[in-house]
Amino acid sequence: MIYLILAALCSASMAVALRLSEGYSSNKYAILTGNYVTCTFIAYILLPEKRILPSLTNLFRAGAEAGAETAMMTAVLAGIINGVFFLGMLLLLQYSIKKNGAVLSSAFAKLGIMLPVAASVLFLNERPTLLQTAGMLLVAAAILVINLEKGKGGASSKMLLLVLFLFSGMGDGMAKVFERIGERRFDALFLF
């Protein structure tokens, strides 16, 4: 439960930081680059092994060394795909905050968690509890209400919220994909 609370606080603080940064810098790419460099540095410090790329000579050998190198390569490639989704989500979040406000944009970004949950139900035969099902239905209803609501905000800003929802969900879903295809010992490398 503590991790869920910390994740929600970090997510909310990211949206607030992006909103506040608009007043200090008009270069959104500099802000995101600074964020990525900082996160990359911290992730590297936290890596148990300070090696981020597999050895190509061991990759083509037989035996345990090749298996470890293949698993390492899987973690790197899945991490790169996850990074693309995460960076895309951050760019969309920053743009959406300007169009739709911080609260609505960060809410849609967090609602993206429904995509990997739905994919787990459909493709991995996982079964949600009654409470989880009620939560997913509530989220779906909220998305419909927001998109069907008349008033301020043009169709482009509503479409932006849906694209933000999709990118966020695909990024969240990569963790589930790596859980299925990767090895636990390379979790830190996947997150790097």
Side-chain angles (χ1 to χ4, degrees):
M1 183 63 158
I2 188 72
Y3 293 117
L4 182 61
I5 293 169
L6 290 173
L9 288 173
C10 288
S11 177
S13 66
M14 171 88 79
V16 169
L18 287 173
R19 181 65 173 190
L20 291 174
S21 70
E22 290 175 359
Y24 296 105
S25 174
S26 61
N27 189 348
K28 64 182 176 184
Y29 301 111
I31 294 166
L32 291 177
T33 301
N35 177 48
Y36 251 78
V37 168
T38 303
C39 292
T40 301
F41 178 71
I42 291 170
Y44 183 77
I45 288 171
L46 296 175
L47 276 176
E49 292 180 34
K50 300 300 184 229
R51 198 171 69 130
I52 59 172
L53 292 175
S55 167
L56 292 178
T57 50
N58 289 339
L59 193 61
F60 298 110
R61 290 186 181 167
E65 287 180 16
E69 298 301 316
T70 302
M72 189 176 195
M73 183 64 86
T74 300
V76 169
L77 292 175
I80 288 170
I81 293 168
N82 191 42
V84 168
F85 283 133
F86 188 71
L87 179 60
M89 190 272 303
L90 281 177
L91 290 169
L92 288 166
L93 178 63
Q94 196 166 37
Y95 184 65
S96 182
I97 286 172
K98 280 184 182 177
K99 292 280 192 185
N100 302 304
V103 173
L104 193 57
S105 298
S106 61
F108 265 77
K110 288 285 72 174
L111 292 176
I113 193 68
M114 279 190 48
L115 290 178
V117 170
S120 292
V121 169
L122 292 172
F123 303 116
L124 303 176
N125 294 324
E126 293 183 8
R127 298 292 167 232
T129 65
L130 185 59
L131 186 61
Q132 291 168 329
T133 303
M136 288 188 293
L137 291 173
L138 185 62
V139 167
I143 292 171
L144 284 173
V145 166
I146 289 169
N147 282 300
L148 296 176
E149 182 179 279
K150 303 281 185 210
K152 82 173 196 176
S156 65
S157 63
K158 290 178 184 179
M159 183 58 75
L160 179 61
L161 289 171
L162 286 175
V163 173
L164 177 63
F165 169 79
L166 291 172
F167 260 76
S168 178
M170 288 187 285
D172 290 339
M174 279 306 297
K176 188 68 172 177
V177 169
F178 182 71
E179 180 184 302
R180 291 290 179 145
I181 66 170
E183 290 186 22
R184 296 293 310 195
R185 63 185 168 148
F186 294 115
D187 280 357
L189 188 59
F190 166 72
L191 294 173
F192 174 75

